[in-house]
């Protein structure tokens, strides 16, 4: 008798030494959350892997691509679990190779995790290889870089056999690195930056600055769609929306046109940091790429960073636009981000924004309006929407 299971392989977690158990537990919790819509029967650690079994045998294959998108998963394999007899795992090996797809060459990689099983790994390789050669007489055995590899892993009283695998996103499980507040627009860059921080174990808490009431709320709906596109593998539990249009209008009336964008961003950072304090987040995250637009020169970045007393992380700082677009395609947000929606990024924009701002001029413009009152008002008018995300814990004050 054999059943279908998913075997999760990880890499970076395995290097965590004495903290490895903690990272494994977090990953297991995140896998449960990502597979909430499936009939997950059990999830357990087994010899350097995480084993997922289902009550419905049709579900492991459907779950495979979702599991692969969960941060911390290096690879996920669709496996047969069977008795550890030669007849059982050899028959499973034939079926595993049949479902692999097109191939011209293959090899067998067999191992046992302890010596309570009498047959050595090298003999298992020979046994299974002979059976597969008879079953697939027109296929070549190739020890280096074959098209398909049939794995036979004997562990804890069972044999696990698989050939079909999917590469995961890698990284660390969400919740292992704490909270960060991300400045999330409906554009291409910031969703990618948010995903990249989640992949490094962070719990993103997005803050979206809407052009409302000077523009419609379309960008807010796009941001919700982006959050839902990242789910269930990426957990985002809360999104804050700041109606920023009136503040931008006030700034545009009193500040030099060339410095408006810097003033907007200084206000955004100040508001985002207040929310970070409320959430217990330890850093801000933006989707900036060095030199991509006027506000992203070194001088302008420095002028805006003055507003933050916590680290400002820029995971895309060294990426070019095509690299960011490619990643947006990979994570499923590109098409959403290409939809046109008026937001604060295009509101009251100057014709010639300053690209190399001098701090003295920035400070003079900053003092031309009551920025403290504006920041307090925007924080007080912040709205939030909650999503299913067990990894997220709302602040006690909320």
């Amino acid at each position: 008798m054999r059943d279908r299971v998913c075997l999760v392989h990880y890499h970076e977690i395995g290097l965590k030494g004495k903290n490895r158990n903690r990272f494994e537990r977090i990953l297991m919790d995140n896998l449960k959350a990502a597979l909430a819509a499936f009939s997950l029967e059990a999830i357990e650690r087994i010899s350097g892997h995480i084993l997922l079994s289902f009550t419905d045998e049709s579900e492991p294959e459907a779950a495979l691509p979702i599991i692969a998108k969960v941060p911390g998963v290096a690879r996920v394999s669709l496996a047969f679990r069977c008795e550890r007899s030669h007849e059982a795992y050899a028959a499973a090996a034939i079926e595993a190779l049949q479902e692999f797809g097109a191939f011209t060459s293959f090899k067998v990689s067999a191992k046992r995790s302890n010596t309570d099983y009498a047959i050595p790994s090298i003999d298992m390789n020979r046994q299974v290889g002979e059976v597969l050669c008879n079953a697939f007489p027109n296929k070549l055995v190739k020890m280096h870089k074959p098209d398909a590899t049939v794995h036979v892993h004997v562990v804890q009283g069972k044999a696990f056999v698989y050939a079909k695998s999917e590469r995961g996103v890698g990284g660390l499980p969400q919740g292992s690195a704490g909270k960060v507040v991300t400045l999330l627009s409906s554009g291409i860059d910031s969703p990618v930056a948010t995903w990249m921080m989640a992949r490094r174990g962070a719990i993103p808490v997005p803050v979206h600055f809407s052009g409302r009431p000077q523009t419609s709320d379309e960008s807010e709906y796009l941001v919700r769609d982006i959050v839902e596109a990242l789910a269930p593998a990426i957990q985002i539990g809360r999104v804050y929306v700041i109606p920023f249009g009136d503040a931008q209008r006030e700034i545009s009336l009193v500040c030099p046109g060339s410095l408006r964008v810097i003033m907007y961003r200084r206000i955004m950072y100040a508001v985002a940091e207040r929310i970070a304090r409320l959430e217990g987040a330890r850093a801000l995250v933006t989707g900036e790429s060095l030199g991509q637009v006027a506000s992203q020169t070194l001088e302008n970045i420095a002028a805006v960073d003055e507003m933050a007393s916590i680290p400002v992380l820029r995971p895309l700082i060294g990426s070019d636009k095509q690299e960011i677009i490619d990643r947006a395609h990979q994570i499923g947000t590109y098409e959403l981000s290409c939809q046109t929606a008026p937001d604060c990024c295009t509101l009251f924009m100057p014709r010639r924004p300053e690209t190399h701002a001098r701090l003295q001029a920035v400070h003079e413009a900053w003092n031309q309006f009551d920025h403290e009152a504006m920041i307090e008002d925007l924080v007080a008018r912040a709205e939030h929407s909650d999503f299913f995300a067990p990894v997220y814990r709302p602040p006690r004050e909320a």
Side-chain angles (χ1 to χ4, degrees), residues 129-393:
E130 182 179 358
V131 169
L132 292 178
C133 285
N134 292 330
F136 301 91
N138 297 322
K139 306 300 182 181
L140 300 175
V141 175
K142 190 176 180 182
M143 300 311 295
H144 299 286
K145 297 183 179 180
D147 297 329
T149 299
V150 179
H151 298 265
V152 181
H153 189 186
V154 175
V155 58
Q156 296 184 6
K158 293 289 183 181
F160 297 89
V161 183
Y162 59 90
K164 186 175 181 179
S165 292
E166 187 167 328
R167 185 176 180 178
V169 298
L172 296 172
Q174 271 191 278
S176 60
K179 283 184 183 179
V180 294
V181 162
T182 70
L183 277 69
L184 181 62
S185 73
S186 58
I188 295 172
D189 300 347
S190 57
V192 174
T194 297
W195 178 88
M196 291 181 72
M197 293 308 302
R199 182 173 172 263
R200 295 310 307 162
I203 304 169
V205 182
V207 177
H208 175 65
F209 288 85
S210 169
R212 182 161 48 93
Q214 301 294 328
T215 68
S216 69
D217 58 359
E218 289 179 55
S219 69
E220 300 168 35
Y221 288 101
L222 275 180
V223 164
R224 291 180 65 94
D225 290 343
I226 287 168
V227 170
E228 290 170 358
L230 293 173
I234 302 297
Q235 297 184 51
I236 295 177
R238 175 168 292 184
V239 175
Y240 288 87
V241 173
I242 313 295
F244 194 42
D246 285 345
Q248 286 183 269
R249 181 176 183 277
E250 181 180 339
I251 291 170
S252 70
L253 293 174
V254 299
C255 292
S258 61
L259 296 175
R260 283 181 201 166
V261 175
I262 293 176
M263 297 301 109
Y264 298 158
R265 294 194 68 78
R266 284 170 70 96
I267 291 291
M268 288 178 180
Y269 277 39
V271 171
E273 182 168 332
R274 300 286 180 92
I275 292 174
R277 291 178 194 166
L278 172 69
E279 286 281 348
R282 298 182 179 275
L284 303 182
V285 178
T286 78
E288 292 166 306
S289 171
L290 186 62
Q292 183 170 265
V293 295
S295 65
Q296 295 173 15
T297 63
L298 287 176
E299 294 87 347
N300 290 3
I301 287 173
V304 174
D305 272 2
E306 277 193 328
M307 301 308 302
S309 62
I310 59 177
V312 180
L313 307 180
R314 297 177 172 89
L316 305 181
I317 195 68
S319 301
D320 65 30
K321 194 64 178 183
Q322 190 57 53
E323 290 172 327
I324 299 169
I325 288 172
D326 290 345
R327 181 71 81 177
H329 278 294
Q330 177 193 345
I331 65 177
T333 59
Y334 179 76
E335 298 298 334
L336 291 169
S337 295
C338 286
Q339 295 183 33
T340 303
D343 64 7
C344 71
C345 295
T346 56
L347 190 60
F348 301 116
M349 293 296 289
R351 290 185 178 180
R352 292 190 178 89
E354 178 61 67
T355 56
H356 302 286
R358 294 179 295 108
L359 283 179
Q360 181 179 347
V362 170
H363 294 159
E364 289 172 359
W366 186 244
N367 291 325
Q368 289 179 2
F369 64 101
D370 191 346
H371 47 264
E372 283 299 327
M374 181 179 289
I375 293 165
E376 293 289 343
D377 178 63
L378 290 170
V379 172
R381 293 195 290 119
E383 308 161 6
H384 69 259
S385 299
D386 290 338
F387 301 83
F388 173 75
V391 73
Y392 172 77
R393 296 289 182 272

Side-chain angles (χ1 to χ4, degrees), residues 8-65:
V8 170
H9 315 247
Y10 48 77
H11 176 253
E12 199 166 346
I13 292 175
L15 306 177
K16 290 300 180 181
K18 294 180 180 179
N19 292 322
R20 175 172 164 176
N21 286 346
R22 171 177 171 265
F23 284 85
E24 287 177 330
R25 286 196 302 270
I26 295 172
L27 178 56
M28 290 166 70
D29 288 341
N30 292 349
L31 287 167
K32 286 179 186 177
L35 298 174
F38 291 79
S39 61
L40 188 63
E41 182 179 31
I43 179 168
E44 57 189 302
R45 288 175 285 185
I46 177 170
S47 186
H49 299 79
I50 294 175
L51 172 65
L52 299 98
S53 53
F54 301 78
T55 56
D56 184 342
E57 286 205 5
S58 67
E59 290 191 342
E61 188 165 7
L64 198 75

